[in-house]
Amino acid sequence: MGEPVRLALHHTTGSLRWTPDLIAAQGRQVVLIDCKSRMTSRTSRRHVVERAAVTAHLQLVAWTQLPLYYVFDNLDLLTPHDTLGLGQEGPRTAAGSGTPYLLVPATRASAFDRVFGIPDGLIAA
């Protein structure tokens, strides 16, 4: 999506505002990826996802019948379903859309390589 569209969507409440960042494929498996840069608290070790995004993504998963993953800086993964079920509502902030955030302990997330495997040519540490 181009920058003018992204900026316009930022000021809407429509579900398209939370369009995932990537569509990825491995073989015939297609997944939707929403990157969550700087969305993990260093002090509480909880991942943060906006509740409105989770609602939009649950609808998108139902419509597309494709899995969607939140990928955090450390390559932890959560699904919208995980986030809704495991998250606790955080305080409202002026950041983002102003909607509540869901806070999920990082210990409840899946590791990227456990879900997607290790790409050929890489060695697990």
Side-chain angles (χ1 to χ4, degrees), residues 75-114:
L75 296 183
D76 275 355
L77 298 178
L78 288 169
T79 68
H81 188 268
D82 296 336
T83 305
L84 185 64
L86 300 171
Q88 294 182 328
E89 193 165 302
R92 287 183 181 259
T93 68
S97 68
T99 65
Y101 284 79
L102 294 173
L103 309 172
V104 181
T107 56
R108 302 301 301 266
S110 299
F112 188 90
D113 58 347
R114 286 190 131 184

PDB file of all heavy atoms in Angstrom, residues 75-114:
ATOM      1  N   LEU A  75      11.219 -12.198  17.055  1.00  0.00           N
ATOM      2  CA  LEU A  75      10.638 -13.268  16.235  1.00  0.00           C
ATOM      3  C   LEU A  75       9.683 -14.170  17.009  1.00  0.00           C
ATOM      4  O   LEU A  75       9.407 -15.284  16.589  1.00  0.00           O
ATOM      5  CB  LEU A  75      11.723 -14.092  15.524  1.00  0.00           C
ATOM      6  CG  LEU A  75      12.548 -13.309  14.510  1.00  0.00           C
ATOM      7  CD1 LEU A  75      13.542 -14.231  13.815  1.00  0.00           C
ATOM      8  CD2 LEU A  75      11.657 -12.615  13.483  1.00  0.00           C
ATOM      9  N   ASP A  76       9.154 -13.684  18.131  1.00  0.00           N
ATOM     10  CA  ASP A  76       8.039 -14.370  18.784  1.00  0.00           C
ATOM     11  C   ASP A  76       6.815 -14.215  17.894  1.00  0.00           C
ATOM     12  O   ASP A  76       6.666 -13.209  17.192  1.00  0.00           O
ATOM     13  CB  ASP A  76       7.715 -13.734  20.143  1.00  0.00           C
ATOM     14  CG  ASP A  76       8.560 -14.251  21.279  1.00  0.00           C
ATOM     15  OD1 ASP A  76       9.355 -15.188  21.071  1.00  0.00           O
ATOM     16  OD2 ASP A  76       8.426 -13.699  22.397  1.00  0.00           O
ATOM     17  N   LEU A  77       5.933 -15.211  17.945  1.00  0.00           N
ATOM     18  CA  LEU A  77       4.695 -15.193  17.166  1.00  0.00           C
ATOM     19  C   LEU A  77       3.484 -15.326  18.076  1.00  0.00           C
ATOM     20  O   LEU A  77       3.489 -16.101  19.036  1.00  0.00           O
ATOM     21  CB  LEU A  77       4.654 -16.378  16.199  1.00  0.00           C
ATOM     22  CG  LEU A  77       5.705 -16.505  15.120  1.00  0.00           C
ATOM     23  CD1 LEU A  77       5.475 -17.786  14.333  1.00  0.00           C
ATOM     24  CD2 LEU A  77       5.693 -15.320  14.206  1.00  0.00           C
ATOM     25  N   LEU A  78       2.456 -14.583  17.735  1.00  0.00           N
ATOM     26  CA  LEU A  78       1.130 -14.756  18.327  1.00  0.00           C
ATOM     27  C   LEU A  78       0.124 -14.679  17.196  1.00  0.00           C
ATOM     28  O   LEU A  78       0.350 -14.001  16.190  1.00  0.00           O
ATOM     29  CB  LEU A  78       0.820 -13.642  19.334  1.00  0.00           C
ATOM     30  CG  LEU A  78       1.554 -13.659  20.659  1.00  0.00           C
ATOM     31  CD1 LEU A  78       1.320 -12.353  21.415  1.00  0.00           C
ATOM     32  CD2 LEU A  78       1.100 -14.842  21.502  1.00  0.00           C
ATOM     33  N   THR A  79      -1.001 -15.356  17.340  1.00  0.00           N
ATOM     34  CA  THR A  79      -2.115 -15.224  16.415  1.00  0.00           C
ATOM     35  C   THR A  79      -3.137 -14.274  17.047  1.00  0.00           C
ATOM     36  O   THR A  79      -3.102 -14.034  18.262  1.00  0.00           O
ATOM     37  CB  THR A  79      -2.787 -16.575  16.138  1.00  0.00           C
ATOM     38  OG1 THR A  79      -3.428 -17.012  17.350  1.00  0.00           O
ATOM     39  CG2 THR A  79      -1.789 -17.620  15.649  1.00  0.00           C
ATOM     40  N   PRO A  80      -4.065 -13.739  16.261  1.00  0.00           N
ATOM     41  CA  PRO A  80      -5.126 -12.924  16.861  1.00  0.00           C
ATOM     42  C   PRO A  80      -5.913 -13.711  17.924  1.00  0.00           C
ATOM     43  O   PRO A  80      -6.263 -13.167  18.971  1.00  0.00           O
ATOM     44  CB  PRO A  80      -6.011 -12.546  15.680  1.00  0.00           C
ATOM     45  CG  PRO A  80      -5.112 -12.609  14.500  1.00  0.00           C
ATOM     46  CD  PRO A  80      -4.153 -13.735  14.793  1.00  0.00           C
ATOM     47  N   HIS A  81      -6.155 -14.986  17.653  1.00  0.00           N
ATOM     48  CA  HIS A  81      -6.881 -15.823  18.619  1.00  0.00           C
ATOM     49  C   HIS A  81      -6.088 -15.956  19.919  1.00  0.00           C
ATOM     50  O   HIS A  81      -6.648 -15.829  21.011  1.00  0.00           O
ATOM     51  CB  HIS A  81      -7.170 -17.194  18.003  1.00  0.00           C
ATOM     52  CG  HIS A  81      -8.056 -18.027  18.841  1.00  0.00           C
ATOM     53  ND1 HIS A  81      -7.582 -18.915  19.779  1.00  0.00           N
ATOM     54  CD2 HIS A  81      -9.403 -18.118  18.900  1.00  0.00           C
ATOM     55  CE1 HIS A  81      -8.586 -19.514  20.383  1.00  0.00           C
ATOM     56  NE2 HIS A  81      -9.708 -19.041  19.863  1.00  0.00           N
ATOM     57  N   ASP A  82      -4.776 -16.219  19.820  1.00  0.00           N
ATOM     58  CA  ASP A  82      -3.923 -16.288  21.018  1.00  0.00           C
ATOM     59  C   ASP A  82      -4.004 -14.985  21.802  1.00  0.00           C
ATOM     60  O   ASP A  82      -4.146 -14.985  23.032  1.00  0.00           O
ATOM     61  CB  ASP A  82      -2.438 -16.475  20.648  1.00  0.00           C
ATOM     62  CG  ASP A  82      -2.120 -17.774  19.960  1.00  0.00           C
ATOM     63  OD1 ASP A  82      -2.869 -18.758  20.125  1.00  0.00           O
ATOM     64  OD2 ASP A  82      -1.096 -17.797  19.240  1.00  0.00           O
ATOM     65  N   THR A  83      -3.884 -13.888  21.077  1.00  0.00           N
ATOM     66  CA  THR A  83      -3.845 -12.568  21.707  1.00  0.00           C
ATOM     67  C   THR A  83      -5.147 -12.281  22.440  1.00  0.00           C
ATOM     68  O   THR A  83      -5.132 -11.798  23.569  1.00  0.00           O
ATOM     69  CB  THR A  83      -3.558 -11.487  20.652  1.00  0.00           C
ATOM     70  OG1 THR A  83      -2.346 -11.826  19.965  1.00  0.00           O
ATOM     71  CG2 THR A  83      -3.403 -10.118  21.283  1.00  0.00           C
ATOM     72  N   LEU A  84      -6.257 -12.596  21.819  1.00  0.00           N
ATOM     73  CA  LEU A  84      -7.556 -12.366  22.450  1.00  0.00           C
ATOM     74  C   LEU A  84      -7.722 -13.255  23.678  1.00  0.00           C
ATOM     75  O   LEU A  84      -8.183 -12.804  24.719  1.00  0.00           O
ATOM     76  CB  LEU A  84      -8.686 -12.618  21.448  1.00  0.00           C
ATOM     77  CG  LEU A  84     -10.089 -12.297  21.932  1.00  0.00           C
ATOM     78  CD1 LEU A  84     -10.229 -10.806  22.224  1.00  0.00           C
ATOM     79  CD2 LEU A  84     -11.106 -12.725  20.891  1.00  0.00           C
ATOM     80  N   GLY A  85      -7.333 -14.521  23.559  1.00  0.00           N
ATOM     81  CA  GLY A  85      -7.518 -15.461  24.669  1.00  0.00           C
ATOM     82  C   GLY A  85      -6.546 -15.290  25.819  1.00  0.00           C
ATOM     83  O   GLY A  85      -6.897 -15.514  26.977  1.00  0.00           O
ATOM     84  N   LEU A  86      -5.314 -14.889  25.523  1.00  0.00           N
ATOM     85  CA  LEU A  86      -4.274 -14.803  26.545  1.00  0.00           C
ATOM     86  C   LEU A  86      -4.028 -13.392  27.056  1.00  0.00           C
ATOM     87  O   LEU A  86      -3.406 -13.199  28.093  1.00  0.00           O
ATOM     88  CB  LEU A  86      -2.945 -15.348  25.989  1.00  0.00           C
ATOM     89  CG  LEU A  86      -2.938 -16.795  25.530  1.00  0.00           C
ATOM     90  CD1 LEU A  86      -1.625 -17.114  24.811  1.00  0.00           C
ATOM     91  CD2 LEU A  86      -3.145 -17.720  26.717  1.00  0.00           C
ATOM     92  N   GLY A  87      -4.506 -12.403  26.300  1.00  0.00           N
ATOM     93  CA  GLY A  87      -4.193 -11.007  26.626  1.00  0.00           C
ATOM     94  C   GLY A  87      -5.057 -10.442  27.728  1.00  0.00           C
ATOM     95  O   GLY A  87      -6.204 -10.832  27.909  1.00  0.00           O
ATOM     96  N   GLN A  88      -4.452  -9.522  28.450  1.00  0.00           N
ATOM     97  CA  GLN A  88      -5.177  -8.738  29.441  1.00  0.00           C
ATOM     98  C   GLN A  88      -5.215  -7.308  28.946  1.00  0.00           C
ATOM     99  O   GLN A  88      -4.240  -6.816  28.377  1.00  0.00           O
ATOM    100  CB  GLN A  88      -4.470  -8.791  30.793  1.00  0.00           C
ATOM    101  CG  GLN A  88      -4.477 -10.158  31.418  1.00  0.00           C
ATOM    102  CD  GLN A  88      -3.794 -10.115  32.775  1.00  0.00           C
ATOM    103  OE1 GLN A  88      -2.878  -9.344  32.999  1.00  0.00           O
ATOM    104  NE2 GLN A  88      -4.242 -10.969  33.672  1.00  0.00           N
ATOM    105  N   GLU A  89      -6.338  -6.643  29.156  1.00  0.00           N
ATOM    106  CA  GLU A  89      -6.460  -5.282  28.663  1.00  0.00           C
ATOM    107  C   GLU A  89      -5.519  -4.362  29.412  1.00  0.00           C
ATOM    108  O   GLU A  89      -5.443  -4.385  30.640  1.00  0.00           O
ATOM    109  CB  GLU A  89      -7.900  -4.790  28.796  1.00  0.00           C
ATOM    110  CG  GLU A  89      -8.134  -3.516  28.022  1.00  0.00           C
ATOM    111  CD  GLU A  89      -9.609  -3.213  27.844  1.00  0.00           C
ATOM    112  OE1 GLU A  89     -10.331  -4.049  27.284  1.00  0.00           O
ATOM    113  OE2 GLU A  89     -10.011  -2.117  28.268  1.00  0.00           O
ATOM    114  N   GLY A  90      -4.773  -3.567  28.647  1.00  0.00           N
ATOM    115  CA  GLY A  90      -3.852  -2.603  29.230  1.00  0.00           C
ATOM    116  C   GLY A  90      -4.501  -1.241  29.334  1.00  0.00           C
ATOM    117  O   GLY A  90      -5.646  -1.044  28.909  1.00  0.00           O
ATOM    118  N   PRO A  91      -3.755  -0.282  29.858  1.00  0.00           N
ATOM    119  CA  PRO A  91      -4.305   1.072  29.983  1.00  0.00           C
ATOM    120  C   PRO A  91      -4.481   1.730  28.626  1.00  0.00           C
ATOM    121  O   PRO A  91      -3.761   1.420  27.684  1.00  0.00           O
ATOM    122  CB  PRO A  91      -3.240   1.798  30.810  1.00  0.00           C
ATOM    123  CG  PRO A  91      -1.989   1.033  30.573  1.00  0.00           C
ATOM    124  CD  PRO A  91      -2.399  -0.397  30.335  1.00  0.00           C
ATOM    125  N   ARG A  92      -5.452   2.612  28.534  1.00  0.00           N
ATOM    126  CA  ARG A  92      -5.651   3.379  27.290  1.00  0.00           C
ATOM    127  C   ARG A  92      -4.536   4.413  27.194  1.00  0.00           C
ATOM    128  O   ARG A  92      -4.140   5.010  28.184  1.00  0.00           O
ATOM    129  CB  ARG A  92      -7.002   4.070  27.288  1.00  0.00           C
ATOM    130  CG  ARG A  92      -8.137   3.112  27.087  1.00  0.00           C
ATOM    131  CD  ARG A  92      -9.458   3.893  27.026  1.00  0.00           C
ATOM    132  NE  ARG A  92     -10.558   2.971  26.846  1.00  0.00           N
ATOM    133  CZ  ARG A  92     -11.144   2.757  25.677  1.00  0.00           C
ATOM    134  NH1 ARG A  92     -10.742   3.382  24.611  1.00  0.00           N
ATOM    135  NH2 ARG A  92     -12.143   1.894  25.573  1.00  0.00           N
ATOM    136  N   THR A  93      -4.067   4.612  25.958  1.00  0.00           N
ATOM    137  CA  THR A  93      -3.036   5.618  25.723  1.00  0.00           C
ATOM    138  C   THR A  93      -3.453   6.474  24.542  1.00  0.00           C
ATOM    139  O   THR A  93      -4.363   6.126  23.793  1.00  0.00           O
ATOM    140  CB  THR A  93      -1.681   4.956  25.395  1.00  0.00           C
ATOM    141  OG1 THR A  93      -1.784   4.309  24.127  1.00  0.00           O
ATOM    142  CG2 THR A  93      -1.276   3.956  26.462  1.00  0.00           C
ATOM    143  N   ALA A  94      -2.746   7.577  24.357  1.00  0.00           N
ATOM    144  CA  ALA A  94      -3.006   8.453  23.214  1.00  0.00           C
ATOM    145  C   ALA A  94      -2.342   7.912  21.953  1.00  0.00           C
ATOM    146  O   ALA A  94      -2.618   8.375  20.861  1.00  0.00           O
ATOM    147  CB  ALA A  94      -2.492   9.853  23.512  1.00  0.00           C
ATOM    148  N   ALA A  95      -1.460   6.915  22.087  1.00  0.00           N
ATOM    149  CA  ALA A  95      -0.770   6.344  20.929  1.00  0.00           C
ATOM    150  C   ALA A  95      -1.741   5.510  20.100  1.00  0.00           C
ATOM    151  O   ALA A  95      -2.720   4.978  20.610  1.00  0.00           O
ATOM    152  CB  ALA A  95       0.397   5.466  21.393  1.00  0.00           C
ATOM    153  N   GLY A  96      -1.453   5.382  18.819  1.00  0.00           N
ATOM    154  CA  GLY A  96      -2.292   4.569  17.937  1.00  0.00           C
ATOM    155  C   GLY A  96      -3.668   5.177  17.798  1.00  0.00           C
ATOM    156  O   GLY A  96      -3.839   6.381  17.726  1.00  0.00           O
ATOM    157  N   SER A  97      -4.679   4.309  17.795  1.00  0.00           N
ATOM    158  CA  SER A  97      -6.052   4.781  17.599  1.00  0.00           C
ATOM    159  C   SER A  97      -6.708   5.212  18.899  1.00  0.00           C
ATOM    160  O   SER A  97      -7.823   5.706  18.891  1.00  0.00           O
ATOM    161  CB  SER A  97      -6.882   3.661  16.962  1.00  0.00           C
ATOM    162  OG  SER A  97      -7.028   2.608  17.894  1.00  0.00           O
ATOM    163  N   GLY A  98      -6.029   5.017  20.017  1.00  0.00           N
ATOM    164  CA  GLY A  98      -6.616   5.359  21.314  1.00  0.00           C
ATOM    165  C   GLY A  98      -7.462   4.235  21.876  1.00  0.00           C
ATOM    166  O   GLY A  98      -8.037   4.364  22.949  1.00  0.00           O
ATOM    167  N   THR A  99      -7.557   3.105  21.140  1.00  0.00           N
ATOM    168  CA  THR A  99      -8.308   1.959  21.646  1.00  0.00           C
ATOM    169  C   THR A  99      -7.450   1.202  22.656  1.00  0.00           C
ATOM    170  O   THR A  99      -6.233   1.370  22.694  1.00  0.00           O
ATOM    171  CB  THR A  99      -8.720   1.004  20.509  1.00  0.00           C
ATOM    172  OG1 THR A  99      -7.544   0.445  19.929  1.00  0.00           O
ATOM    173  CG2 THR A  99      -9.548   1.722  19.456  1.00  0.00           C
ATOM    174  N   PRO A 100      -8.064   0.366  23.462  1.00  0.00           N
ATOM    175  CA  PRO A 100      -7.290  -0.401  24.433  1.00  0.00           C
ATOM    176  C   PRO A 100      -6.317  -1.367  23.746  1.00  0.00           C
ATOM    177  O   PRO A 100      -6.528  -1.785  22.614  1.00  0.00           O
ATOM    178  CB  PRO A 100      -8.352  -1.192  25.201  1.00  0.00           C
ATOM    179  CG  PRO A 100      -9.651  -0.585  24.860  1.00  0.00           C
ATOM    180  CD  PRO A 100      -9.492   0.110  23.559  1.00  0.00           C
ATOM    181  N   TYR A 101      -5.279  -1.684  24.470  1.00  0.00           N
ATOM    182  CA  TYR A 101      -4.296  -2.656  24.027  1.00  0.00           C
ATOM    183  C   TYR A 101      -4.456  -3.936  24.816  1.00  0.00           C
ATOM    184  O   TYR A 101      -4.898  -3.924  25.960  1.00  0.00           O
ATOM    185  CB  TYR A 101      -2.883  -2.117  24.249  1.00  0.00           C
ATOM    186  CG  TYR A 101      -2.481  -1.087  23.237  1.00  0.00           C
ATOM    187  CD1 TYR A 101      -2.907   0.226  23.335  1.00  0.00           C
ATOM    188  CD2 TYR A 101      -1.679  -1.432  22.164  1.00  0.00           C
ATOM    189  CE1 TYR A 101      -2.547   1.175  22.405  1.00  0.00           C
ATOM    190  CE2 TYR A 101      -1.299  -0.491  21.212  1.00  0.00           C
ATOM    191  CZ  TYR A 101      -1.736   0.808  21.346  1.00  0.00           C
ATOM    192  OH  TYR A 101      -1.369   1.733  20.409  1.00  0.00           O
ATOM    193  N   LEU A 102      -4.096  -5.045  24.193  1.00  0.00           N
ATOM    194  CA  LEU A 102      -4.040  -6.323  24.889  1.00  0.00           C
ATOM    195  C   LEU A 102      -2.581  -6.644  25.166  1.00  0.00           C
ATOM    196  O   LEU A 102      -1.723  -6.495  24.282  1.00  0.00           O
ATOM    197  CB  LEU A 102      -4.679  -7.425  24.042  1.00  0.00           C
ATOM    198  CG  LEU A 102      -6.178  -7.260  23.817  1.00  0.00           C
ATOM    199  CD1 LEU A 102      -6.692  -8.294  22.817  1.00  0.00           C
ATOM    200  CD2 LEU A 102      -6.936  -7.384  25.136  1.00  0.00           C
ATOM    201  N   LEU A 103      -2.291  -7.055  26.380  1.00  0.00           N
ATOM    202  CA  LEU A 103      -0.942  -7.369  26.826  1.00  0.00           C
ATOM    203  C   LEU A 103      -0.842  -8.874  27.026  1.00  0.00           C
ATOM    204  O   LEU A 103      -1.620  -9.455  27.785  1.00  0.00           O
ATOM    205  CB  LEU A 103      -0.645  -6.642  28.138  1.00  0.00           C
ATOM    206  CG  LEU A 103      -0.927  -5.133  28.148  1.00  0.00           C
ATOM    207  CD1 LEU A 103      -0.786  -4.572  29.552  1.00  0.00           C
ATOM    208  CD2 LEU A 103      -0.014  -4.422  27.184  1.00  0.00           C
ATOM    209  N   VAL A 104       0.129  -9.503  26.348  1.00  0.00           N
ATOM    210  CA  VAL A 104       0.293 -10.953  26.404  1.00  0.00           C
ATOM    211  C   VAL A 104       1.699 -11.267  26.883  1.00  0.00           C
ATOM    212  O   VAL A 104       2.679 -10.780  26.289  1.00  0.00           O
ATOM    213  CB  VAL A 104       0.073 -11.603  25.010  1.00  0.00           C
ATOM    214  CG1 VAL A 104       0.229 -13.106  25.095  1.00  0.00           C
ATOM    215  CG2 VAL A 104      -1.281 -11.222  24.444  1.00  0.00           C
ATOM    216  N   PRO A 105       1.853 -12.076  27.943  1.00  0.00           N
ATOM    217  CA  PRO A 105       3.201 -12.439  28.390  1.00  0.00           C
ATOM    218  C   PRO A 105       4.003 -13.069  27.246  1.00  0.00           C
ATOM    219  O   PRO A 105       3.503 -13.951  26.534  1.00  0.00           O
ATOM    220  CB  PRO A 105       2.953 -13.451  29.503  1.00  0.00           C
ATOM    221  CG  PRO A 105       1.551 -13.189  29.957  1.00  0.00           C
ATOM    222  CD  PRO A 105       0.810 -12.706  28.743  1.00  0.00           C
ATOM    223  N   ALA A 106       5.241 -12.612  27.078  1.00  0.00           N
ATOM    224  CA  ALA A 106       6.095 -13.133  26.007  1.00  0.00           C
ATOM    225  C   ALA A 106       6.306 -14.641  26.160  1.00  0.00           C
ATOM    226  O   ALA A 106       6.517 -15.340  25.169  1.00  0.00           O
ATOM    227  CB  ALA A 106       7.429 -12.399  26.000  1.00  0.00           C
ATOM    228  N   THR A 107       6.209 -15.149  27.364  1.00  0.00           N
ATOM    229  CA  THR A 107       6.388 -16.588  27.587  1.00  0.00           C
ATOM    230  C   THR A 107       5.286 -17.418  26.943  1.00  0.00           C
ATOM    231  O   THR A 107       5.435 -18.623  26.771  1.00  0.00           O
ATOM    232  CB  THR A 107       6.432 -16.904  29.095  1.00  0.00           C
ATOM    233  OG1 THR A 107       5.231 -16.393  29.706  1.00  0.00           O
ATOM    234  CG2 THR A 107       7.651 -16.271  29.754  1.00  0.00           C
ATOM    235  N   ARG A 108       4.179 -16.791  26.573  1.00  0.00           N
ATOM    236  CA  ARG A 108       3.056 -17.506  25.955  1.00  0.00           C
ATOM    237  C   ARG A 108       3.142 -17.509  24.427  1.00  0.00           C
ATOM    238  O   ARG A 108       2.318 -18.134  23.764  1.00  0.00           O
ATOM    239  CB  ARG A 108       1.719 -16.886  26.380  1.00  0.00           C
ATOM    240  CG  ARG A 108       1.472 -16.847  27.882  1.00  0.00           C
ATOM    241  CD  ARG A 108       1.500 -18.231  28.547  1.00  0.00           C
ATOM    242  NE  ARG A 108       0.548 -19.164  28.029  1.00  0.00           N
ATOM    243  CZ  ARG A 108      -0.656 -19.401  28.511  1.00  0.00           C
ATOM    244  NH1 ARG A 108      -1.071 -18.756  29.557  1.00  0.00           N
ATOM    245  NH2 ARG A 108      -1.436 -20.305  27.946  1.00  0.00           N
ATOM    246  N   ALA A 109       4.119 -16.818  23.864  1.00  0.00           N
ATOM    247  CA  ALA A 109       4.268 -16.737  22.411  1.00  0.00           C
ATOM    248  C   ALA A 109       4.988 -17.972  21.876  1.00  0.00           C
ATOM    249  O   ALA A 109       5.678 -18.683  22.604  1.00  0.00           O
ATOM    250  CB  ALA A 109       5.053 -15.478  22.042  1.00  0.00           C
ATOM    251  N   SER A 110       4.831 -18.229  20.590  1.00  0.00           N
ATOM    252  CA  SER A 110       5.535 -19.313  19.899  1.00  0.00           C
ATOM    253  C   SER A 110       6.796 -18.743  19.261  1.00  0.00           C
ATOM    254  O   SER A 110       6.850 -17.574  18.890  1.00  0.00           O
ATOM    255  CB  SER A 110       4.659 -19.907  18.799  1.00  0.00           C
ATOM    256  OG  SER A 110       3.478 -20.437  19.342  1.00  0.00           O
ATOM    257  N   ALA A 111       7.796 -19.592  19.108  1.00  0.00           N
ATOM    258  CA  ALA A 111       9.029 -19.191  18.438  1.00  0.00           C
ATOM    259  C   ALA A 111       8.845 -19.322  16.925  1.00  0.00           C
ATOM    260  O   ALA A 111       8.217 -20.270  16.447  1.00  0.00           O
ATOM    261  CB  ALA A 111      10.194 -20.056  18.905  1.00  0.00           C
ATOM    262  N   PHE A 112       9.401 -18.379  16.177  1.00  0.00           N
ATOM    263  CA  PHE A 112       9.266 -18.349  14.721  1.00  0.00           C
ATOM    264  C   PHE A 112       9.675 -19.681  14.094  1.00  0.00           C
ATOM    265  O   PHE A 112       8.948 -20.249  13.281  1.00  0.00           O
ATOM    266  CB  PHE A 112      10.113 -17.201  14.157  1.00  0.00           C
ATOM    267  CG  PHE A 112       9.914 -16.961  12.696  1.00  0.00           C
ATOM    268  CD1 PHE A 112       8.940 -16.086  12.260  1.00  0.00           C
ATOM    269  CD2 PHE A 112      10.687 -17.612  11.745  1.00  0.00           C
ATOM    270  CE1 PHE A 112       8.745 -15.845  10.918  1.00  0.00           C
ATOM    271  CE2 PHE A 112      10.501 -17.377  10.396  1.00  0.00           C
ATOM    272  CZ  PHE A 112       9.529 -16.494   9.983  1.00  0.00           C
ATOM    273  N   ASP A 113      10.836 -20.201  14.476  1.00  0.00           N
ATOM    274  CA  ASP A 113      11.328 -21.434  13.839  1.00  0.00           C
ATOM    275  C   ASP A 113      10.523 -22.666  14.240  1.00  0.00           C
ATOM    276  O   ASP A 113      10.498 -23.645  13.518  1.00  0.00           O
ATOM    277  CB  ASP A 113      12.821 -21.637  14.077  1.00  0.00           C
ATOM    278  CG  ASP A 113      13.212 -21.707  15.539  1.00  0.00           C
ATOM    279  OD1 ASP A 113      12.385 -21.367  16.410  1.00  0.00           O
ATOM    280  OD2 ASP A 113      14.365 -22.096  15.812  1.00  0.00           O
ATOM    281  N   ARG A 114       9.825 -22.616  15.365  1.00  0.00           N
ATOM    282  CA  ARG A 114       8.960 -23.749  15.735  1.00  0.00           C
ATOM    283  C   ARG A 114       7.733 -23.823  14.845  1.00  0.00           C
ATOM    284  O   ARG A 114       7.206 -24.890  14.582  1.00  0.00           O
ATOM    285  CB  ARG A 114       8.519 -23.652  17.191  1.00  0.00           C
ATOM    286  CG  ARG A 114       9.602 -23.992  18.164  1.00  0.00           C
ATOM    287  CD  ARG A 114       9.008 -24.107  19.510  1.00  0.00           C
ATOM    288  NE  ARG A 114       9.504 -25.363  20.053  1.00  0.00           N
ATOM    289  CZ  ARG A 114       9.138 -25.850  21.191  1.00  0.00           C
ATOM    290  NH1 ARG A 114       8.251 -25.218  21.918  1.00  0.00           N
ATOM    291  NH2 ARG A 114       9.643 -26.982  21.624  1.00  0.00           N
TER     292      ARG A 114
END
